[in-house]
Amino acid sequence: MPFDPQSLRFDAQGLIPAIAQDSETGEVLMMAWMNEEAVRRTLETGKVTYWSRSRKSFWVKGESSGHTQKLIEMRLDCDRDCLLVLIDQTGPACHTNRRSCFYTAIRNDAEVILTEPMA
């Protein structure tokens, strides 16, 4: 059965969360938002494309930084209201120059930085 992005459950702003995960290691790298057109563009080009809520525009990950995300596979959760994009990440995924945006843990009621920016 062919996939139709309109079958997804977007929120009131027309957005759906997309979790980027390294296809080789399983590491969760980041979360961003997609709208229906970003989903279509990602599937058509193989370049992961998000919707920037602050800029109100599309952004292809790595377009300006060179830290690209190549789509390996897109998965839907059971409720069709969240996406998992399995990717091949070039360079850091986080704007802080870290491999992952999830570099802070809460341990014993304190924040602990797990990784430093990449060199």
Side-chain angles (χ1 to χ4, degrees):
M1 149 164 89
F3 172 68
D4 180 2
Q6 290 183 337
S7 70
L8 297 173
R9 294 181 55 206
F10 296 94
D11 69 12
Q13 289 75 44
L15 301 174
I16 190 168
I19 300 165
Q21 182 179 33
D22 186 290
S23 65
E24 294 289 320
T25 67
E27 181 182 17
V28 175
L29 300 176
M30 60 176 278
M31 182 284 219
W33 298 94
M34 289 184 174
N35 61 14
E36 185 179 328
E37 182 61 24
V39 172
R40 288 183 195 280
R41 289 182 185 194
T42 297
L43 292 170
E44 288 170 7
T45 67
K47 297 176 183 176
V48 183
T49 303
Y50 299 104
W51 177 256
S52 170
R53 296 178 300 167
S54 59
R55 290 175 287 193
K56 306 249 186 281
S57 63
F58 295 102
W59 56 285
V60 178
K61 183 66 175 168
E63 198 168 48
S64 59
S65 68
H67 304 154
T68 59
Q69 291 180 347
K70 176 185 172 193
L71 180 68
I72 302 302
E73 183 173 85
M74 184 180 288
R75 297 183 183 178
L76 319 173
D77 79 333
C78 57
D79 294 325
R80 303 180 80 85
D81 62 358
C82 186
L83 301 174
L84 177 66
V85 287
L86 301 177
I87 61 166
D88 178 12
Q89 175 72 44
T90 300
C94 185
H95 74 279
T96 66
N97 211 39
R98 289 175 170 87
R99 173 89 179 137
S100 170
C101 293
F102 298 96
Y103 61 86
T104 305
I106 301 170
R107 296 180 178 164
N108 298 321
D109 204 31
E111 291 187 22
V112 178
I113 302 298
L114 303 173
T115 60
E116 295 301 320
M118 296 172 76

